[in-house]
Amino acid sequence: MSTPSGEISIRGIGDANVAAGLPTGGIDAIASGVRRAARHLPALGNFDLDDTTILISSIPSGPTDVQPEFGYSDAWTLPGASRDGYVECHVTLFIQPDFTASEIAYAVAHELFHCVQEATLSDEQNATKSGSGLWWIEGSAELFAALAAGAQERWNRAPGFDAAVAEELPLYEMSYRMAVFFYWYNEQNGIDALIPFLHLMSEEGTGYAQKLAMHDVLSDREWLEFVEAYDDRRIVYPSGARLRFGQQLDGESWEIEDDVRFRREFRPFVIALGWANYACGVWGNTATEANFAIHEDGRTDWVSPWPGEINTRESATSGRRYRVAAILTDPGSVDVDFDLNVERRESCAACLTRAVIDRCLIGTWEMTGGGPMEFLRRYGAPISRDAMGRMVVTMRGDGTYSTRNVAMDYQVDPGDELGPVDTNGEIQASNGRWSAERGRLLACVDEGGDAMSTSVGRGGVFVTSIGSQAGTGGGAQYSCDDTTLATAPGEGMTFTFTRLTPRRP
């Protein structure tokens, strides 16, 4: 056949009885594999290939005694001895009895591409197969074999790639399984881009050298596009048929139901996948800069950076899921911490239909009169001690409010032989939204407000727990001036607040 450097010969040799140990038509299948490879080699562009001898055998020995974890061992390729300027590539081909004709052709094409690598790339680059360079040496040979002979289910690398991602293996440690990457690269750039890619690979077999080469050969965005295509299951063989991956990997899941901070460690060239599950509401997000993208579940329009605000209120109470994919491409990093800070800005409670702001209410207020203890005394409750903390609420001009924790400390003494009951506990801070118009104040709790108390006396200990009040709301008549806010939520209950901050103009 012709190569850019001139004519070369490819020959097969074996002992007189070799055909007897092969599947029917085995010799013809080997010859077919050579011819198929020869037809596709010119598409590589500027490649080289030396004379090649294929030693045909049917009995595995030596390196094939133990099958590698990556797949079925059927051949190996070594540079032949050089003498008087003559160089030859040696392929040792072991044909298993159950190989089909297409599988035999695939194995031949794979090994012939190793001969291309031996003749086209430097000795130092080829030597990285004994280190961390197997990912590109074997991955690119798998691509060429699938191009020349068609994909073979025996060497479907997709499930193995899934398993490696689940194990959080770096891409440069995936060996044959990186065929998945080269299928994607071929679809994006064409087979004529393969040899230029390989020329950029490192001449050192260390993991760091491989990371450096990977960082230089593709941009951050291109590596992320590969991860996106993998997660979407969009990667195809050269024929256009989709790879048969397993079920999509879930990865880490973040449940977002309240203000929360998440942290995840990214390692260089390790694919990171996961889900961010937002409850119903409006959420503010602050994320560390990183090479990641997200998309809403059920869609494939990946976006980056993380949206500053996500509104899931259209999803009613179910919230919304977002898929997250990332890959760190900095070769000098050991690992990088990715942080996501989320705050609830609005809940899904329908307690506010309008957000009208009475500027008199803006500021910080402290309760100085009324409240539940005064209400209970008015109706005859035997309150013998009232050391309750005072409620402090801050109402802001953007229609949000927050409260502080309130201590619970009181005693009820009916005056009988069973004695008093002492209660201690705390009401947790809360925040939410408010509006006020025409003497009516409305509030909606977005989070917090839960309480716990312990009552001791009258022959027992009683624990009372009230969960978060998020999603609840209510209203009250009110009046406001420069110093005082008075509210009347109804049923005779009143509250009086004193302004702690100057009134806004």
Side-chain angles (χ1 to χ4, degrees):
M1 65 166 289
S2 297
T3 74
S5 300
E7 295 290 322
I8 62 100
S9 295
I10 301 174
R11 63 176 178 171
I13 63 172
D15 67 32
N17 299 313
V18 67
L22 300 180
T24 302
I27 295 294
D28 291 339
I30 294 170
S32 174
V34 173
R35 294 189 185 98
R36 291 191 198 184
R39 284 197 300 271
H40 287 87
L41 282 172
L44 295 173
N46 190 20
F47 73 97
D48 208 350
L49 179 61
D50 297 319
D51 287 337
T52 299
T53 295
I54 302 174
L55 173 62
I56 305 166
S57 178
S58 59
I59 304 175
S61 61
T64 59
D65 282 345
V66 178
Q67 298 297 317
E69 61 176 313
F70 317 115
Y72 213 97
S73 176
D74 58 84
W76 68 77
T77 299
L78 298 171
S82 175
R83 102 180 153 271
D84 300 329
Y86 175 73
V87 179
E88 186 175 280
C89 185
H90 288 170
V91 175
T92 305
L93 185 65
F94 296 106
I95 301 302
Q96 308 297 335
D98 61 341
F99 274 21
T100 66
S102 293
E103 289 170 345
I104 292 173
Y106 183 98
V108 170
H110 178 110
E111 297 307 321
L112 285 179
F113 190 77
H114 285 321
C115 290
V116 171
Q117 293 169 338
E118 291 287 348
T120 306
L121 306 175
S122 70
D123 292 342
E124 291 79 9
Q125 285 178 306
N126 283 298
T128 63
K129 61 176 169 281
S130 62
S132 294
L134 272 180
W135 72 271
W136 61 265
I137 291 173
E138 296 297 350
S140 60
E142 288 286 271
L143 166 61
F144 183 76
L147 175 69
Q152 306 299 315
E153 187 58 30
R154 185 189 292 269
W155 295 290
N156 175 16
R157 305 299 180 183
F161 191 87
D162 278 339
V165 171
E167 294 171 19
E168 299 186 350
L169 281 182
L171 297 180
Y172 55 86
E173 291 184 7
M174 292 193 187
S175 186
Y176 291 80
R177 291 168 285 195
M178 275 296 277
V180 171
F181 164 78
F182 282 98
Y183 299 144
W184 170 84
Y185 185 80
N186 174 67
E187 183 186 10
Q188 301 300 310
N189 302 283
I191 196 64
D192 58 334
L194 182 57
I195 295 299
F197 181 101
L198 299 183
H199 275 299
L200 295 174
M201 293 297 97
S202 177
E203 293 186 339
E204 297 180 24
T206 64
Y208 175 75
Q210 298 305 310
K211 288 188 289 184
L212 193 61
M214 296 169 82
H215 174 268
D216 292 344
V217 75
L218 292 182
S219 67
D220 289 357
R221 182 60 210 161
E222 286 172 309
W223 281 112
L224 186 57
E225 286 173 356
F226 162 63
V227 174
E228 293 169 359
Y230 160 66
D231 194 53
D232 290 341
R233 302 315 201 225
R234 290 187 278 112
I235 299 177
V236 298
Y237 289 111
S239 66
R242 290 207 174 191
L243 273 68
R244 294 178 56 194
F245 289 102
Q247 185 176 356
Q248 185 187 51
L249 303 176
D250 276 333
E252 191 171 321
S253 289
W254 292 345
E255 302 299 326
I256 300 169
E257 300 174 342
D258 210 332
D259 288 2
V260 68
R261 177 186 181 186
F262 294 104
R263 170 166 289 183
R264 183 166 181 180
E265 182 182 274
F266 291 162
R267 294 167 49 214
F269 291 99
V270 172
I271 293 176
L273 302 171
W275 292 100
N277 301 317
Y278 283 82
C280 189
V282 178
W283 303 92
N285 306 292
T286 304
T288 308
E289 288 189 14
N291 195 35
F292 70 86
I294 75 170
H295 72 75
E296 186 181 343
D297 189 19
R299 303 179 61 176
T300 57
D301 50 337
W302 294 89
V303 298
S304 185
W306 205 289
E309 183 173 275
I310 287 178
N311 184 348
T312 67
R313 288 194 296 181
E314 304 86 40
S315 304
T317 58
S318 60
R320 193 174 296 158
R321 299 179 82 204
Y322 285 84
R323 184 61 165 167
V324 185
I327 183 167
L328 176 64
T329 58
D330 181 359
S333 301
V334 176
D335 51 57
V336 170
D337 287 333
F338 171 77
D339 290 326
L340 174 65
N341 292 282
V342 185
E343 64 173 3
R344 185 200 292 270
R345 294 178 177 172
E346 297 182 27
S347 76
C348 283
C351 64
L352 295 182
T353 58
R354 301 187 63 189
V356 181
I357 303 301
D358 180 346
R359 296 191 63 79
C360 179
L361 297 175
I362 298 174
T364 299
W365 303 86
E366 181 179 35
M367 191 182 82
T368 53
M373 303 308 289
E374 182 178 297
F375 176 81
L376 291 172
R377 283 198 189 93
R378 190 186 314 152
Y379 286 91
I383 307 295
S384 52
R385 184 181 75 250
D386 177 5
M388 293 285 288
R390 292 186 173 188
M391 180 191 302
V392 176
V393 57
T394 298
M395 305 177 74
R396 304 179 186 87
D398 64 355
T400 64
Y401 79 86
S402 60
T403 68
R404 302 175 187 173
N405 293 354
V406 178
M408 302 171 63
D409 184 357
Y410 63 92
Q411 183 185 77
V412 177
D413 189 356
D416 57 23
E417 67 278 2
L418 294 178
V421 176
D422 289 282
T423 299
N424 291 274
E426 189 172 59
I427 302 172
Q428 298 296 311
S430 67
N431 61 62
R433 291 162 287 131
W434 67 275
S435 70
E437 184 179 21
R438 298 175 183 175
R440 183 70 176 171
L441 173 63
L442 299 174
C444 178
V445 183
D446 285 338
E447 65 175 347
D450 41 326
M452 178 172 287
S453 63
T454 302
S455 300
V456 180
R458 305 183 74 79
V461 176
F462 309 94
V463 177
T464 303
S465 177
I466 300 175
S468 171
Q469 299 302 292
T472 64
Q477 297 299 119
Y478 80 95
S479 63
C480 176
D481 59 29
D482 289 347
T483 61
T484 306
L485 168 64
T487 66
E491 304 295 334
M493 180 87 72
T494 62
F495 292 83
T496 300
F497 294 87
T498 299
R499 190 188 297 275
L500 298 182
T501 56
R503 179 172 178 171
R504 294 280 185 91

